[in-house]
Amino acid sequence: MTAQAHPVDHELVQAAAEVARTRCRGDNHTMAAAARARDGRIITAVNAYHFTGGPCAELVLIGTAAAQGAYELDTIAAVGDRDRGVVPPCGRCRQVLLDYFPALKVIVGRGDRVRTVLIADLLPESYVWADHQLDAG
């Protein structure tokens, strides 16, 4: 694991918490995510739960960011509805986030133990999809 400490972007946690509090309703939308784009913008999204495996808030956020022209994300945080606080990304989201944004920082932990870690630290010894693609050139 990387020993370097990264500051916690509390504004992101607050943005995700606000979306979770005001936009998550019922069983279809139970998680909110917020990410800071490299240009400083904050992008937010909610999950789209479905019994067939609807996308998590982090994955919806990737598409939402792209639709807004934000293709480089710096930091991401996810917060659960019903005041559940920060929730770490699931395994599928960890893999996708690593593949899309290998230098991404992720806010994890609870209460006064919230901290920021690199996505690679959440998925050590991971399979990196880009490493196994044929060169286009």
Side-chain angles (χ1 to χ4, degrees), residues 2 17 29-30 36 54 62 70 112 123 134:
T2 304
H29 309 292
T30 59
R36 186 166 305 277
I62 292 170
D112 61 353
L123 206 57
L134 296 176

Side-chain angles (χ1 to χ4, degrees), residues 21-130:
R21 187 172 35 262
T22 61
R23 301 292 185 246
C24 290
R25 297 184 177 164
D27 293 337
N28 293 335
H29 309 292
T30 59
M31 292 290 299
R36 186 166 305 277
R38 289 276 164 89
D39 64 10
R41 286 183 287 163
I42 293 179
I43 313 286
T44 60
V46 298
N47 69 319
Y49 177 80
H50 191 266
F51 74 90
T52 60
C56 297
E58 296 93 334
L59 300 184
V60 174
L61 189 135
I62 292 170
T64 301
Q68 295 178 22
Y71 298 101
E72 296 295 327
L73 300 181
D74 182 68
T75 307
I76 192 168
V79 172
D81 66 349
R82 300 175 317 236
D83 296 318
R84 290 184 287 147
V86 173
V87 177
C90 72
R92 175 178 68 171
C93 288
R94 291 175 192 212
Q95 184 66 55
V96 173
L97 291 169
L98 176 71
D99 288 336
Y100 272 69
F101 313 104
L104 184 71
K105 295 183 288 284
V106 182
I107 299 172
V108 297
R110 293 203 174 270
D112 61 353
R113 298 193 63 199
V114 172
R115 64 196 183 285
T116 303
V117 299
L118 294 174
I119 187 65
D121 289 344
L122 291 179
L123 206 57
E125 301 298 326
S126 61
Y127 173 89
V128 178
W129 181 79

